[in-house]
Amino acid sequence: MDFPGYKLSLEMRIDWSDLDMYQHVNNLTFIRFLQSGRVNFWEATGLGVLYEKTNRGPMLVSTHCDFKKSLQYPGKAIVKTKLAYLKNSSFGLDHLILNENHEICAEGRDVAVCYDFNSESTYAIPEDLREIMSHY
């Protein structure tokens, strides 16, 4: 199955410790999968390196997950991520969490701001960074 626009993909192993009392993947694990997709985006775009060099980088301000289908152990989850939008200092990421059969098990949305940890304030996303981010 094809998921147009989702250029980033990450395969995650489902561990036994990811299960809840109902023997399927716990909702907190889905949030961790979203985090992995978000960090994958930060690494692909250079946002992580930017933070390391300048103490300026992305800060998560919101995350949301709609659960569609259970994930099971043993198995794998595939996290697909794309840029949803770019504003002045904020941006959104859309995520899909798929099972091994490429069925959608969850849909997520993150909102992050570009934050200057030196001045403790947001800052406008520079044009060069906008260009890089828009490729994803």
Side-chain angles (χ1 to χ4, degrees):
M1 185 177 267
D2 191 29
F3 299 95
Y6 287 88
K7 294 181 181 175
L8 293 173
S9 188
L10 186 64
E11 191 172 281
M12 309 286 296
R13 178 182 153 186
I14 296 172
D15 289 321
W16 184 81
S17 62
D18 293 331
L19 304 182
D20 61 18
M21 65 184 274
Y22 304 113
Q23 300 303 304
H24 55 66
V25 172
N26 185 289
N27 57 357
L28 291 175
T29 301
F30 279 82
I31 300 301
R32 184 171 51 82
F33 290 160
L34 294 181
Q35 177 183 355
S36 295
R38 181 170 58 248
V39 171
N40 194 28
F41 179 85
W42 291 353
E43 289 174 348
T45 58
L47 283 165
V49 172
L50 176 69
Y51 171 74
E52 290 171 6
K53 291 181 177 179
T54 65
N55 210 30
R56 295 173 60 167
M59 176 187 283
L60 181 69
V61 295
S62 175
T63 191
H64 179 87
C65 186
D66 289 324
F67 305 99
K68 305 293 184 183
K69 186 177 177 96
S70 296
L71 284 169
Q72 307 293 329
Y73 172 86
K76 295 183 180 166
I78 302 160
V79 183
K80 294 198 169 283
T81 302
K82 71 175 181 178
L83 181 70
Y85 64 84
L86 273 171
K87 291 188 177 179
N88 182 49
S89 61
S90 66
F91 60 94
L93 299 176
D94 284 341
H95 306 280
L96 296 176
I97 299 175
L98 313 172
N99 62 19
E100 291 173 306
N101 296 322
H102 297 274
E103 299 168 314
I104 297 173
C105 296
E107 296 176 350
R109 161 90 34 116
D110 291 333
V111 177
V113 296
C114 285
Y115 193 77
D116 186 330
F117 292 86
N118 303 300
S119 65
E120 297 183 351
S121 62
T122 61
Y123 65 93
I125 302 170
E127 278 306 313
D128 60 336
L129 184 54
R130 284 178 178 281
E131 178 66 25
I132 293 167
M133 292 169 74
S134 67
H135 290 291
Y136 295 96

